[in-house]
Amino acid sequence: MTDLPSRLRRWLAAALLFAAALPTMAQDLPELPPVDQVFVLTAQATAHDRIELRWKIADGFYLYRHRTSVKTSASFTDARLALPEGARHHDPFFGDVQTYRRQLVGVLTGTPADSVTSVALTVKYQGCADAGVCYPPQTRTLSVALPVVQAAAPGFGLGRSSASSAFGLDDGGKAQDGPLPPEQAFTSEVITLDGNTLLLRLTPARGYYLYRDKLSARLDAGAGLSATLPPAAQMPKATPYRDEHFGHVPVYFNQVEIPLSVVRSSTRAASGTLLVGLQGCQDNGICYPPMTRRLTVSLPAGVLTAANVAAVQAGAESALTSEESADAANAVSAASAALAASSAGDAPVAEAGRNALAAGNATIANPPRTPPPTRDNPGLLLALLLALGGGLILNLMPCVLPVLSLKVLALAQGGESRQRTRAQALAYTAGVLASMLALGGLILALRSDGIEGWISWGFQLQFPRPVAILGLLMFVLGLSLSGVWFANVQLGQRAGALTQGDGTRADFFTGVLAVVLATPCTAPFMGAALAYAFVAPTAAALLVFLMLGLGLALPFLLIAFIPSLARLLPKPGAWMDTLKQLLAFPLYATAAWLLWVLAHQRGADAVGLWMASAIAVALAAWAWTHARRNGLRWPLVLAIIAVLAALWPVYVIGQLPRPMQNHTQSEVAVSYSEARLAELRAQGRVVFVNMTAEWCVSCKANERAVFARDGFRNALKAADAVYMIGDYTNVDPAISAYLKQHGAVGVPLYVVYPRGGGEGRVLPVLLTPGMAADALAQAAR
């Protein structure tokens, strides 16, 4: 039994590490049932001048009192809606409000005109789910039959069917115009016109619409055949619409037919699938989540056209190196000759040219696994050197400062022994390399599983639970350095903290912590190296991650193994206790920064929950220390309870809804959207795109040093440029696709598009005011 405290101490430390290492991701928001199944609206006139409106509210949902209203037709004057008092509730969006659950009965009174037999009601309401997701405001139009004044019998002389019809209700007593299943709301079909053309036909039901810019299509019919949607400018004309979710957008209310050109490198017949992505809404009703339709396609044999050659040539120029482009150009030239021969009736020459085109396209369709063309492909050796340099520079970034403070203290403690200093450096390096290898393996594994859209450097900080856990870890380590726990507890020569003390384990986990905290920062040279790693073979990619870790650990290896550098370390002494306590404050600052990130991700409620968890963690640390110091057992029980209590707020944080978008449109900046960017480029405007995130330290440094200054605003004005911000604080598939398109491994990403069209220019991740101003001036020429 004497061993129980030490075993419990190890269990608590392991539990803390396990919680920090959990790959907890924010869960997807729950899919809401149709709104008319959740809030069932009925209306009935109980007197000639009195109408009752009833909402049957499903469990787990509620209606807002202040968002409920009724308007009547001109034949029903002096109308007044009386609603009961609701339950008081503090809403993160509306403040102090009243809500209703299970049932709401409102009484509408007024004066009907003479001989009026029915009243048209326009009912508006809005409600939410307890899970934190809200429906958009709802509007329903009902026709309610008024009873004849002399009539006294219930039902007003109407049968069930006729009464329901008069009230604007179906036979179940529900309001009409309930949402249709997605397959009925938006039908889709594909028609094969010939071997080179498909026709995609989309038909929204009456009262429904499709977003034009949410449409996508991709043909999966084997190598040598492809088809996608035409550019936005060539799409069928859409209706401008003010949408509650996306602002001013083009939509389709009626059937739309979209021709799809099939790009061929072969004339063969083929069968396959057209993958169609779409999203739409019910007018004044619910919005459906993004949908994917798989439509079977049977293509007859086709012909090679000049468009096919142009498409292949464009693919060759954008996907191949210079030597491969030369080979592809030869193939395309041969294909052009084939077209000419075909038109002249020379079948053998035409066939030879088609074979040459197929050979050239085979190289294009199966290129080496290289980064996208907007970034240079450095090759393995250069990628390793860039990774080493990037890891070395990463030591100077603010993300790693808290870990550097711990490492400086550890090296100072070991300064009296060269052997001890070397052992510390090797253990620290092992922790860095092991965690960097694990991080690289996780990223590569997730990307290979087909979810690469949002996997990038620092991706774990897009999710609130890992952010909360890291913040708690920084907080508890700061308490340790401040002496709140582990201090004054005699544990021999070894301290109990994972990253504090003179043991090999402490040095190893300091290296692990360095990698975890380094991910919000991006150093020069890292971008090209990681871009190579993300598309290279697995072995080469892991070598790049290992070299990045070696660069991060290199300063401490040099100090440990070069005597002249080691002699620069100060001698141990009493000053070390003071230094240890001072070094706690960078850890507190890091915890505060992570709490700030959490507030942007999940709002003020997440901050309150995190604080509750931090209090529980501090209580556990104090109780454990009290038990060790005094040999008591009851504080150990208290410590276990406190640790378990600290886990609950972290779980709840992941369930909270996202707050409103951090970057909103203003006179200086507009929010990023693919459609808006395409529109601005079509207008010939200069556009400066800034992909950023609240957890990205490099992004914040650039914002303060460059974008917040008057010089940048003046440069925007001089270039007549639009400043567009994409917020990647939370997972955003559109921004993920944009990053992938430009070969970026994460944020920040800065792209400047020139006046009059043309490809965007990617700027360095660390900017100066002069770089931004020069890029804007060149784009405006």
Side-chain angles (χ1 to χ4, degrees):
M1 297 300 293
T2 56
D3 242 356
L4 177 61
S6 63
R7 288 201 305 271
L8 186 57
R9 172 174 57 83
R10 288 195 298 270
W11 180 87
L12 287 174
L16 181 60
L17 175 63
F18 178 77
L22 280 176
T24 50
M25 304 299 174
Q27 299 177 353
D28 291 335
L29 293 176
E31 182 177 353
L32 293 179
V35 65
D36 287 323
Q37 293 180 15
V38 174
F39 308 115
V40 182
L41 171 62
T42 60
Q44 181 179 9
T46 58
H48 197 62
D49 58 352
R50 187 178 187 273
I51 300 173
E52 283 188 0
L53 295 101
R54 293 178 179 269
W55 286 265
K56 183 180 179 181
I57 305 170
D59 291 337
F61 297 81
Y62 57 89
L63 281 173
Y64 291 110
R65 186 178 194 269
H66 74 288
R67 303 288 287 176
T68 304
S69 63
V70 178
K71 290 185 178 180
T72 64
S73 56
S75 59
F76 196 86
T77 58
D78 300 324
R80 181 176 179 180
L81 179 65
L83 295 173
E85 289 292 312
R88 299 194 178 276
H89 170 70
H90 182 77
D91 189 271
F93 298 101
F94 299 119
D96 294 325
V97 296
Q98 295 182 31
T99 60
Y100 304 106
R101 295 180 181 273
R102 296 187 177 274
Q103 179 178 270
L104 167 62
V105 179
V107 177
L108 180 71
T109 56
T111 304
D114 294 337
S115 71
V116 170
T117 59
S118 65
V119 176
L121 305 181
T122 301
V123 185
K124 295 184 177 182
Y125 54 95
Q126 185 178 12
C128 300
D130 287 339
V133 187
C134 290
Y135 289 92
Q138 304 295 313
T139 301
R140 298 290 182 271
T141 300
L142 307 178
S143 178
V144 181
L146 299 179
V148 179
V149 175
Q150 291 80 5
F156 319 117
L158 295 174
R160 175 179 175 83
S161 177
S162 60
S164 297
S165 175
F167 295 161
L169 308 174
D170 63 18
D171 288 342
K174 299 180 181 179
Q176 292 178 350
D177 298 327
L180 297 171
E183 294 75 13
Q184 297 180 21
F186 312 104
T187 60
S188 54
E189 59 180 322
V190 61
I191 303 167
T192 302
L193 299 182
D194 54 48
N196 290 69
T197 311
L198 300 173
L199 184 69
L200 175 62
R201 178 179 291 161
L202 302 172
T203 308
R206 185 176 181 181
Y208 292 75
Y209 59 88
L210 285 167
Y211 296 108
R212 187 197 69 184
D213 296 331
K214 297 295 182 181
L215 296 177
S216 65
R218 178 173 62 84
L219 178 62
D220 184 6
L225 295 172
S226 64
T228 58
L229 290 180
Q234 300 175 19
M235 289 283 285
K237 185 177 180 180
T239 302
Y241 184 73
R242 176 70 174 87
D243 185 85
E244 295 181 3
H245 305 281
F246 300 108
H248 294 282
V249 290
V251 301
Y252 295 116
F253 280 95
N254 301 311
Q255 185 180 86
V256 58
E257 295 183 342
I258 308 171
L260 307 178
S261 297
V262 179
V263 178
R264 287 179 170 272
S265 64
S266 169
T267 61
R268 66 181 176 86
S271 297
T273 303
L274 184 69
L275 301 176
V276 180
L278 65 153
Q279 186 177 10
C281 297
Q282 180 188 25
D283 198 16
N284 292 321
I286 69 165
C287 278
Y288 294 77
M291 297 164 275
T292 300
R293 304 282 172 81
R294 304 176 66 90
L295 308 178
T296 302
V297 175
S298 181
L299 280 170
V303 298
L304 301 177
T305 65
N308 297 135
V309 176
V312 172
Q313 188 173 18
E317 291 173 351
S318 64
L320 304 179
T321 62
S322 57
E323 292 181 1
E324 293 162 337
S325 295
D327 295 337
N330 293 334
V332 172
S333 298
S336 301
L339 293 175
S342 178
S343 62
D346 192 344
V349 177
E351 183 62 26
R354 291 188 184 98
N355 292 337
L357 177 59
N361 192 64
T363 306
I364 298 166
N366 300 282
R369 199 166 175 229
T370 56
T374 52
R375 296 290 178 98
D376 295 333
N377 177 12
L380 177 59
L381 180 59
L382 183 55
L384 294 176
L385 293 176
L386 291 173
L388 181 66
L392 186 62
I393 298 176
L394 200 57
N395 284 280
L396 304 177
M397 310 304 285
C399 309
V400 193
L401 178 61
V403 180
L404 287 180
S405 65
L406 291 172
K407 198 61 204 154
V408 167
L409 178 61
L411 287 177
Q413 289 174 330
E416 59 188 7
S417 168
R418 181 180 302 175
Q419 182 179 3
R420 176 70 196 119
T421 300
R422 290 178 178 177
Q424 284 183 312
L426 289 175
Y428 172 78
T429 302
V432 170
L433 295 180
S435 52
M436 192 67 77
L437 189 64
L439 178 62
L442 176 62
I443 292 176
L444 296 176
L446 291 175
R447 292 174 74 89
S448 67
D449 283 343
I451 55 174
E452 59 180 332
W454 53 267
I455 299 297
S456 59
W457 182 253
F459 74 95
Q460 72 275 12
L461 293 179
Q462 291 183 308
F463 302 95
R465 286 178 183 147
V467 172
I469 291 171
L470 280 176
L472 291 173
L473 183 59
M474 293 297 98
F475 176 68
V476 77
L477 290 176
L479 293 178
S480 176
L481 291 179
S482 295
V484 174
W485 70 315
F486 300 128
N488 304 320
V489 180
Q490 302 300 322
L491 300 176
Q493 297 298 316
R494 300 175 61 84
L498 287 175
T499 57
Q500 181 190 354
D502 57 359
T504 301
R505 181 187 60 183
D507 298 312
F508 180 87
F509 281 104
T510 302
V512 172
L513 191 60
V515 172
V516 173
L517 289 182
T519 51
C521 284
T522 303
F525 310 131
M526 277 180 56
L530 290 177
Y532 174 87
F534 282 2
V535 294
T538 302
L542 293 178
L543 279 177
V544 172
F545 278 96
L546 285 175
M547 193 61 70
L548 182 63
L550 182 61
L552 183 61
L554 188 57
F556 301 102
L557 287 174
L558 294 177
I559 291 175
F561 285 89
I562 298 179
S564 58
L565 294 177
R567 283 194 291 269
L568 298 177
L569 292 174
K571 299 296 182 182
W575 59 272
M576 290 174 55
D577 283 338
T578 301
L579 176 63
K580 180 184 73 171
Q581 295 177 20
L582 284 174
L583 291 181
F585 291 95
L587 296 176
Y588 293 139
T590 304
W593 166 66
L594 289 167
L595 185 59
W596 177 74
V597 172
L598 190 62
H600 281 274
Q601 290 178 327
R602 290 298 184 269
D605 288 346
V607 174
L609 288 167
W610 187 92
M611 289 179 176
S613 184
I615 292 172
V617 168
L619 175 61
W622 172 85
W624 183 20
T625 304
H626 189 71
R628 295 292 300 172
R629 181 181 298 144
N630 301 302
L632 301 175
R633 291 187 179 179
W634 67 263
L636 293 178
V637 177
L638 179 60
I640 294 174
I641 295 174
V643 168
L644 295 176
L647 296 177
W648 178 81
V650 174
Y651 171 78
V652 176
I653 284 172
Q655 303 288 92
L656 294 175
R658 297 178 183 179
M660 302 205 45
Q661 191 174 2
N662 295 308
H663 293 291
T664 56
Q665 184 165 322
S666 66
E667 295 182 359
V668 178
V670 298
S671 297
Y672 169 79
S673 75
E674 183 180 0
R676 179 62 172 153
L677 177 59
E679 179 183 348
L680 291 171
R681 295 190 66 190
Q683 295 172 2
R685 298 288 301 275
V686 176
V687 184
F688 191 110
V689 176
N690 173 9
M691 294 298 179
T692 182
E694 298 297 342
W695 45 261
C696 172
V697 178
S698 302
C699 304
K700 294 296 157 188
N702 286 333
E703 287 180 15
R704 288 190 295 270
V706 179
F707 305 127
R709 296 191 175 185
D710 291 337
F712 179 72
R713 296 188 183 93
N714 294 336
L716 286 172
K717 185 176 181 180
D720 189 26
V722 176
Y723 181 38
M724 181 171 283
I725 296 177
D727 187 0
Y728 204 43
T729 302
N730 296 292
V731 175
D732 189 316
I735 296 179
S736 297
Y738 187 86
L739 295 175
K740 181 180 178 181
Q741 175 188 347
H742 289 82
V745 298
V747 291
L749 173 66
Y750 308 113
V751 183
V752 181
Y753 293 95
R755 189 185 309 281
E759 291 300 318
R761 173 187 171 189
V762 178
L763 302 184
V765 295
L766 294 181
L767 280 181
T768 65
M771 289 180 184
D774 291 343
L776 286 168
Q778 292 179 18
R781 293 175 183 171

